[in-house]
Amino acid sequence: MSNVDLARVQFAMTSIYHFLFVPVTIGLAFLTAVLQTVWHRKGEAAYLRLTKFFGTLLIINVAVGVVTGLVQEFQFGMNWSAYSRLVGDVFGAPLAMEGLAAFFLEATFLGVWIFGWDKLPRRLHLATIWLVALGAAGSAAFIMAANSWMQHPVGYQTNPTTGRPQLNDIWAVMTNPVFLWGYAHVLLAALATAAVVMLAVSAWHLRKKSHVEVFARSAKLSLAVLVPTMFLAMFVGSELGVVEAKYQPMKIAAAEAQWETCQPCSFSAFQIGGGNNDQNPTKIIAIPHLLSLLATNTWNGQVIGLNEVNAQYQQQYGPGNYVPNVFIQYWSMRVMAYAASLVLLLGLWGLWLIHRNKLETSRRFLWLAVWSVLLPFAMNTAGWLLTENGRQPWIVQGIMRTSDGVSPSVGTTSIVISLIVFFLLYLVLAIVDLVLMLRYARRELPPAPAEPVDEPPVPVGIQ
């Protein structure tokens, strides 16, 4: 493997690993805030117990997730120094805002929330968890703004002396259509991920007949959040696809392995074969017009094929192969879509059981709900691969190729050693996080306070 391939593997590993924690943090912060708000308004002890229980899971996730995020940022200086030098004047602004504003807000008020149970007025303490949630969402906004600029560069001008892009319109960056739809999609996916985590933990306790009355509430809350969130996520994801078809037609064509231009275009549910060296795979169950609808929002819309887009790019950017890895793109799209569909079906099933007052007694549903916790992580990882692999061979669309962004002074040995070190580090962190999350998720709830209003507060995480 070349240095470019090794650096890409290392960055993919760090990003995918970090993105296992990010959606849980964003979504669980909001759900914990909702639980505490319900307790604040109703004064029922069950919601206070649930707030502390799921708040502790949030703290464990944040503690491990922050470490992985720090390693990811070091990657830019380690293996991608040429990229950092070229786009630092643009890319640095949203990253700085993320660190100085959003992450600072999230980290500070998470600490205040943890240690403020017995010290702050109840309303002020409630405000701190909402500030944590807003900080987590804000952090994702700035990261997504930076990433969306790589997908569709806007709000910059090229310095004639240095040849480097310089930011001249931050508003254009923050209203980039790729960012607006992509950020909404990420927020909804995060909320769905946390809802499934809450559902899985609640279902495990309901199967064990542990605190049935309390965990039935969190299971119902998670389902009430999950179903509308998934409907919205699918709608927003569809609109994001239309935007990407306009600005990154190669990405959408590769996601369907559509080599020739078509109108109207069918969507294949499954294919045998395919890839960059096989332009005639056997497509199974073609759904007429669906690709046109997903890519153009019209029944008979045209989707430009990979061969035609590649020819256009060769005329615009010079000789070369601009087609990404079609196999990854095609299957990432389907894993994301099929996992999302299964999550939605599970949510609808759960709502039906609530309607029939059978949620707590349906052993089959509860068993599936526990194992469904794997689905949103598969969905999120596939979505990340779909977005980032579809941009290749560009590291910044139309400005810099990935092969030109690596650090020229870092040798193969250094990349391999750091890759092995990061892999082992992440393996240890994954085991620690999994053990902590499973151990705490299976714990009994703390005893209910006799008087919720006057109960002696217990710091979260040390019950």
Coordinates of all heavy atoms in Angstrom, one line a residue, residues 202-210 212 346 349 353 357-371:
S202 N -33.7 -0.1 28.2 CA -35.0 -0.2 28.9 C -35.5 -1.6 28.6 O -36.1 -2.2 29.5 CB -36.0 0.9 28.4 OG -35.4 2.1 28.6
A203 N -35.4 -2.1 27.4 CA -35.9 -3.4 27.0 C -35.2 -4.5 27.8 O -35.8 -5.5 28.2 CB -35.8 -3.6 25.5
W204 N -33.9 -4.3 28.0 CA -33.2 -5.3 28.8 C -33.7 -5.4 30.2 O -33.9 -6.5 30.8 CB -31.7 -5.0 28.8 CG -30.8 -6.0 29.4 CD1 -30.3 -7.1 28.7 CD2 -30.5 -6.2 30.8 NE1 -29.6 -7.9 29.6 CE2 -29.7 -7.4 30.9 CE3 -30.7 -5.5 31.9 CZ2 -29.1 -7.8 32.1 CZ3 -30.2 -5.9 33.2 CH2 -29.4 -7.1 33.2
H205 N -34.0 -4.3 30.8 CA -34.5 -4.3 32.2 C -36.0 -4.8 32.2 O -36.4 -5.5 33.2 CB -34.5 -2.9 32.8 CG -33.1 -2.5 33.2 ND1 -32.6 -2.9 34.5 CD2 -32.1 -1.8 32.6 CE1 -31.3 -2.4 34.6 NE2 -31.0 -1.8 33.5
L206 N -36.7 -4.5 31.2 CA -38.1 -5.0 31.2 C -38.1 -6.5 31.0 O -39.0 -7.2 31.6 CB -38.9 -4.3 30.0 CG -39.2 -2.8 30.2 CD1 -39.8 -2.3 28.9 CD2 -40.1 -2.6 31.4
R207 N -37.2 -7.1 30.2 CA -37.1 -8.5 30.1 C -36.7 -9.2 31.4 O -37.2 -10.3 31.7 CB -36.0 -8.9 29.0 CG -36.6 -8.9 27.6 CD -35.4 -9.2 26.6 NE -34.7 -10.4 26.9 CZ -35.1 -11.6 26.6 NH1 -36.2 -11.8 25.9 NH2 -34.4 -12.7 26.9
K208 N -35.9 -8.5 32.2 CA -35.5 -9.0 33.5 C -36.5 -8.7 34.6 O -36.2 -9.0 35.8 CB -34.1 -8.5 33.9 CG -33.0 -8.8 32.9 CD -32.8 -10.3 32.8 CE -31.6 -10.6 31.9 NZ -31.4 -12.1 31.7
K209 N -37.6 -8.0 34.3 CA -38.6 -7.6 35.3 C -38.0 -6.7 36.3 O -38.4 -6.8 37.5 CB -39.3 -8.8 35.9 CG -39.9 -9.9 35.0 CD -41.0 -9.3 34.2 CE -41.7 -10.3 33.3 NZ -42.7 -9.7 32.4
S210 N -37.1 -5.9 35.9 CA -36.4 -5.0 36.8 C -37.0 -3.6 36.7 O -36.9 -3.0 35.6 CB -34.9 -5.0 36.5 OG -34.2 -4.0 37.1
V212 N -40.0 -2.4 36.3 CA -40.8 -2.4 35.1 C -41.5 -1.1 35.0 O -41.6 -0.5 33.9 CB -41.8 -3.6 35.2 CG1 -42.8 -3.4 34.0 CG2 -41.1 -4.9 35.1
L346 N -39.1 -1.3 13.7 CA -39.1 -1.7 15.1 C -39.8 -0.6 15.9 O -40.6 -1.0 16.8 CB -37.6 -1.8 15.6 CG -37.5 -2.2 17.1 CD1 -37.8 -3.7 17.2 CD2 -36.1 -1.9 17.6
W349 N -43.5 -1.0 15.4 CA -44.0 -2.1 16.2 C -44.2 -1.8 17.7 O -45.1 -2.1 18.3 CB -43.0 -3.3 16.0 CG -43.4 -4.6 16.6 CD1 -44.6 -4.9 17.1 CD2 -42.6 -5.7 16.8 NE1 -44.6 -6.2 17.6 CE2 -43.4 -6.7 17.4 CE3 -41.3 -6.0 16.5 CZ2 -42.9 -8.0 17.8 CZ3 -40.8 -7.3 16.8 CH2 -41.6 -8.2 17.5
L353 N -47.5 -1.8 20.1 CA -47.6 -2.5 21.4 C -48.0 -1.6 22.5 O -48.8 -2.0 23.4 CB -46.2 -3.2 21.7 CG -45.8 -4.4 20.8 CD1 -44.4 -4.8 21.1 CD2 -46.8 -5.5 21.0
N357 N -51.2 -1.9 25.0 CA -50.8 -2.1 26.4 C -50.0 -3.4 26.5 O -50.2 -4.1 27.5 CB -52.0 -2.1 27.3 CG -52.6 -0.7 27.4 OD1 -51.9 0.3 27.5 ND2 -53.9 -0.7 27.4
K358 N -49.2 -3.8 25.5 CA -48.4 -5.0 25.6 C -46.9 -4.8 25.5 O -46.2 -5.7 25.3 CB -48.9 -5.9 24.5 CG -50.3 -6.5 24.7 CD -50.6 -7.5 23.6 CE -52.0 -8.1 23.8 NZ -52.4 -9.1 22.8
L359 N -46.5 -3.5 25.6 CA -45.1 -3.3 25.4 C -44.2 -4.0 26.4 O -43.2 -4.6 26.1 CB -44.8 -1.8 25.5 CG -43.3 -1.3 25.3 CD1 -42.9 -1.6 23.9 CD2 -43.1 0.1 25.7
E360 N -44.6 -4.0 27.7 CA -43.8 -4.6 28.8 C -43.8 -6.1 28.7 O -43.0 -6.7 29.4 CB -44.3 -4.1 30.1 CG -44.2 -2.6 30.3 CD -45.5 -1.9 29.9 OE1 -46.2 -2.4 29.0 OE2 -45.8 -0.8 30.5
T361 N -44.8 -6.7 28.1 CA -44.9 -8.2 28.1 C -44.6 -8.9 26.8 O -44.5 -10.1 26.8 CB -46.4 -8.5 28.5 OG1 -47.3 -7.9 27.5 CG2 -46.8 -8.0 29.8
S362 N -44.3 -8.2 25.8 CA -43.9 -8.8 24.5 C -42.4 -9.2 24.5 O -41.5 -8.4 24.2 CB -44.2 -7.8 23.3 OG -43.7 -8.4 22.1
R363 N -42.2 -10.5 24.8 CA -40.8 -11.0 25.0 C -40.1 -10.9 23.6 O -38.9 -10.6 23.6 CB -40.8 -12.4 25.5 CG -41.6 -12.6 26.8 CD -40.8 -12.1 28.0 NE -39.5 -12.9 28.2 CZ -38.6 -12.5 29.1 NH1 -38.9 -11.5 29.9 NH2 -37.6 -13.3 29.3
R364 N -40.8 -11.2 22.6 CA -40.1 -11.1 21.2 C -39.7 -9.7 20.9 O -38.5 -9.5 20.4 CB -41.1 -11.6 20.2 CG -40.4 -11.8 18.8 CD -41.4 -12.5 17.8 NE -41.8 -13.8 18.3 CZ -42.8 -14.5 17.7 NH1 -43.4 -14.1 16.6 NH2 -43.1 -15.7 18.2
F365 N -40.5 -8.7 21.1 CA -40.1 -7.3 20.8 C -39.0 -6.9 21.7 O -38.0 -6.3 21.2 CB -41.3 -6.4 21.0 CG -41.0 -4.9 20.9 CD1 -40.8 -4.3 19.7 CD2 -40.7 -4.2 22.1 CE1 -40.5 -3.0 19.6 CE2 -40.3 -2.8 22.0 CZ -40.2 -2.3 20.7
L366 N -39.1 -7.2 23.0 CA -38.0 -6.8 23.9 C -36.7 -7.4 23.6 O -35.6 -6.7 23.7 CB -38.4 -7.1 25.4 CG -39.7 -6.4 25.9 CD1 -40.0 -6.9 27.3 CD2 -39.4 -4.9 25.9
W367 N -36.7 -8.6 23.1 CA -35.4 -9.3 22.8 C -34.8 -8.6 21.5 O -33.6 -8.3 21.5 CB -35.7 -10.8 22.5 CG -34.5 -11.6 22.1 CD1 -33.6 -12.1 23.0 CD2 -33.9 -11.8 20.8 NE1 -32.6 -12.7 22.3 CE2 -32.7 -12.6 21.0 CE3 -34.3 -11.5 19.5 CZ2 -32.0 -13.0 19.9 CZ3 -33.6 -11.9 18.4 CH2 -32.4 -12.7 18.7
L368 N -35.7 -8.3 20.5 CA -35.2 -7.7 19.3 C -34.7 -6.2 19.6 O -33.8 -5.7 19.1 CB -36.3 -7.6 18.3 CG -36.5 -8.9 17.5 CD1 -37.7 -8.8 16.6 CD2 -35.2 -9.3 16.7
A369 N -35.5 -5.6 20.6 CA -35.1 -4.2 20.9 C -33.7 -4.1 21.5 O -33.0 -3.2 21.3 CB -36.2 -3.6 21.9
V370 N -33.4 -5.1 22.3 CA -32.0 -5.1 22.9 C -31.0 -5.2 21.9 O -30.0 -4.5 21.8 CB -31.9 -6.3 23.9 CG1 -30.5 -6.5 24.4 CG2 -32.8 -6.1 25.1
W371 N -31.1 -6.2 20.9 CA -30.1 -6.4 19.9 C -30.1 -5.3 18.8 O -29.2 -5.1 18.1 CB -30.3 -7.8 19.3 CG -29.8 -8.8 20.2 CD1 -30.5 -9.6 21.0 CD2 -28.4 -9.1 20.5 NE1 -29.7 -10.5 21.8 CE2 -28.4 -10.2 21.5 CE3 -27.2 -8.6 20.1 CZ2 -27.2 -10.7 22.0 CZ3 -26.0 -9.2 20.6 CH2 -26.1 -10.2 21.5

